[in-house]
Amino acid sequence: MREDNCIFCKIANGEIPSKTLYEDDAFRVILDLGPAAKGHALILPKEHYENLYELPDKTAAGAMLLAKKMAALMKEKLGCDGLNLIQNNGETAGQTVFHFHMHLIPRYKDDGQKIGWVQGKAEAEELEEIRKLIAE
């Protein structure tokens, strides 16, 4: 299913032109118009899912396999030194377009990007509490 007002639905399905790197029946991979680094791309499913929580297992598996394929291609063709695979869910997590997508960001030594988080601290008791809450 597609969402009529979703820009990523329109791009993924070819209604809006893009710099397409790859396309199949389920996905389109495009270059990001506001790249964090040379070759920054987005994996877009052609069907509309707002976020990871809504994504069917088969689509999630397909997205990860495609990310692996594209990462290898980027390393070979662009000569990048590494790659960030980023996927945000919800506004608080940095999602700005509410159509599931994955960022593939090739990384180069001294590229100036600071993609990460501030590392916190957790005591053993707190970690155990969280583990029990989620796993049991």
Side-chain angles (χ1 to χ4, degrees):
M1 126 172 142
R2 297 180 190 153
E3 181 101 4
D4 289 340
N5 295 323
C6 175
I7 190 158
F8 278 5
C9 280
K10 291 176 182 178
I11 294 169
N13 290 285
E15 296 170 39
I16 294 176
S18 64
K19 298 296 182 191
T20 299
L21 300 176
Y22 174 87
E23 181 180 13
D24 62 23
D25 291 342
F27 297 97
R28 183 181 295 257
V29 180
I30 64 166
L31 289 174
D32 194 302
L33 293 178
K38 176 184 167 187
H40 180 169
L42 302 175
I43 296 176
L44 308 173
K46 291 186 175 182
E47 296 297 319
H48 184 84
Y49 306 101
E50 186 169 306
N51 51 45
L52 181 65
Y53 312 115
E54 293 183 0
L55 205 61
D57 290 349
K58 183 177 177 181
T59 306
M64 187 55 75
L65 289 171
L66 181 53
K68 181 179 186 255
K69 175 181 180 172
M70 294 303 300
L73 191 60
M74 289 173 162
K75 184 164 178 54
E76 175 191 341
K77 301 290 187 175
L78 298 175
C80 56
D81 301 306
L83 182 125
N84 289 111
L85 178 61
I86 300 173
Q87 199 281 310
N88 302 317
N89 295 282
E91 190 174 341
T92 301
Q95 186 177 11
T96 57
V97 179
F98 295 90
H99 177 113
F100 173 88
H101 58 285
M102 295 170 68
H103 293 261
L104 292 162
I105 305 174
R107 299 301 304 275
Y108 307 91
K109 186 176 179 181
D110 300 323
D111 65 12
Q113 277 298 339
K114 302 278 189 249
I115 299 171
W117 54 88
V118 176
Q119 189 172 343
K121 258 187 138 173
E123 299 298 325
E125 297 81 22
E126 180 185 10
L127 294 174
E128 181 57 18
E129 260 181 55
I130 295 168
R131 186 200 66 78
K132 284 181 179 178
L133 185 65
I134 294 172
E136 293 182 5

